Amino acid sequence: MSRNSSYIKTIVGSNIKRIRELRGFTQDDLSEVINMNTSALSDIERGLTYPKPENLDKIAQALKVPYELLYVNALFLIVFISSLVNTTIS
């Protein structure tokens, strides 16, 4: 596995986790919404595996963010996350 591939998995996983927590979802909650095993979601969040494109889309939809946002670095994400603080998931 290339260094860039590992870095991307880490970025995507940590972004999913940050946004999920900000939205008030537990891993179990999000796993249920997207119909994914909780341990698979945990592996994604820890950067161990990369989600299939269709699962990445489901995750982004459940978190109500554009899927492209899951690829951005932490500095930009902090700015975006600050705008999520007052929004809720239904």
Side-chain angles (χ1 to χ4, degrees), residues 19-89:
I19 297 168
R20 174 184 60 76
E21 289 174 341
L22 228 145
R23 293 292 199 184
F25 273 124
T26 63
Q27 283 184 338
D28 289 334
D29 295 334
L30 183 56
S31 294
E32 186 175 327
V33 169
I34 63 174
N35 196 27
M36 177 185 283
N37 185 294
T38 303
S39 64
L41 178 60
S42 175
D43 288 348
I44 291 168
E45 288 186 352
R46 290 181 291 140
L48 300 178
T49 60
Y50 188 79
K52 295 178 183 176
E54 61 270 16
N55 288 335
L56 189 63
D57 189 50
K58 287 179 187 179
I59 292 168
Q61 286 181 26
L63 296 175
K64 297 188 178 184
V65 296
Y67 78 90
E68 297 91 348
L69 185 69
L70 301 176
Y71 289 95
V72 301
N73 67 30
L75 184 58
F76 179 81
L77 187 63
I78 289 167
V79 173
F80 184 81
I81 284 176
S82 67
S83 72
L84 296 179
V85 172
N86 294 322
T87 60
T88 59
I89 293 180

